[in-house]
Amino acid sequence: MSTEQTKIPQATAKRLPLYYRFLKNLHASGKLRVSSAELSDAVKVDSATIRRDFSYFGALGKKGYGYNVNYLLSFFRKTLDQDEVTKVGLIGVGNLGTALLNYNFLKNNNTKIEVGFDVSPDKVNQKIGDVSVYHMDDLEKVIEENDIQVVILTVPSQHAQTITDRISQSTVKGILNFTPARLTVPPAIRVHHIDLAVELQSLIYFLKHYPADM
Ligand code: ATP
């Protein structure tokens, strides 16, 4: 992310990839402008929030005109550093890890899983999709050689911290943690946490207690 990004609130920054993906589709279909109401409908963020978010980018929509799609796209491209591919490694090639390796992230943005790691002899030295799986013994070496910046953790949770400690002095700047473990990291590393079980439980709770308006 560029230095301009530092002025943008974190909640806004988190919505950028969502906006970016939708705007790319709009652009591809030849649309030149978009209203906050249209955007709101597509990305399911209320239009007041969208207007506030976009005002941070200096994109002021005109009444009855909306936003200029090209202007927004070039801003997002610059801000999200999409010109450069971010190199990602995945640790733990089990059911979830395999699904993520097979998922083509490049379709939507410039992110590519370059390497996988596991300890199981069934997985090591295999290729999944077009990604080679290495043994954990070579973790530090392979991360360094491939200049991996982001690591996806899909190992059993009891191994998550030990692995995190091993990569904390490397080229890695971010960890996407799919394990339920809460990780301790040095200040230079950012962790985002995705606990699918918690997300599912939370959705079910909301369905029960806050049913959608019919
Ligand atoms: P599977 O059915 O393939 O075991 P799973 O997702 O149910 O998938 P888990 O026990 O969660 O299995 O393990 C996920 C993956 O992490 C497995 O491929 C396992 O071999 C691998 N793994 C286990 N321990 C480590 C470790 N210390 N370092 C790296 N990978 C590990």
Side-chain angles (χ1 to χ4, degrees), residues 91-98 117-120 123 136 154-157 159 163:
I91 308 181
V93 188
N95 289 316
L96 182 57
T98 302
F117 298 93
D118 208 291
V119 283
S120 158
K123 316 271 166 71
M136 285 299 282
T154 43
V155 287
S157 56
H159 301 296
I163 294 169

Side-chain angles (χ1 to χ4, degrees), residues 65-81:
Y65 177 90
Y67 296 97
N68 181 313
V69 171
N70 280 331
Y71 173 87
L72 285 174
L73 261 187
S74 67
F75 174 84
F76 287 133
R77 229 175 249 131
K78 216 167 44 171
T79 309
L80 292 166
D81 278 341

